[in-house]
Amino acid sequence: MSAFDEFDQERQEIDALLLQGYSIVSIEEDLDGARVKFIHSSPGRVPVELQLLTADARKHVTTAVLSGQRPATPIETHT
């Protein structure tokens, strides 16, 4: 899998959670990447944690936090 494909997969996971109404509540960076915790405002929804391995995905999630946690406009990706 190419580096872009790895980033694109992580970006799609982030955007899908944001579109479903999840919010980013914590980001923990370490040598293995970043662990991002998402929670949903509806009661009873299970928190989700993603392990981001690519630097571009970590930048993407940081941009989402700074822009008010709205997902970017979906873009077409190559397959």
Side-chain angles (χ1 to χ4, degrees), residues 60-74:
H60 182 70
V61 81
T62 302
T63 301
V65 169
L66 295 175
S67 69
Q69 300 185 5
R70 289 182 211 98
T73 304

Side-chain angles (χ1 to χ4, degrees), residues 7-67:
F7 156 68
D8 193 46
Q9 181 179 353
E10 291 179 343
R11 181 192 55 80
Q12 288 178 21
E13 291 172 356
I14 294 164
D15 288 348
L17 287 169
L18 294 174
L19 283 170
Q20 292 172 26
Y22 282 85
S23 297
I24 299 166
V25 292
S26 71
I27 302 172
E28 295 179 26
E29 295 268 347
D30 59 24
L31 295 176
D32 294 326
R35 284 187 311 280
V36 182
K37 187 173 182 179
F38 296 82
I39 61 167
H40 201 278
S41 58
S42 300
R45 299 286 296 255
V46 178
V48 176
E49 188 171 294
L50 289 180
Q51 177 77 26
L52 304 178
L53 302 177
T54 65
D56 288 329
R58 295 193 309 266
K59 289 184 231 176
H60 182 70
V61 81
T62 302
T63 301
V65 169
L66 295 175
S67 69

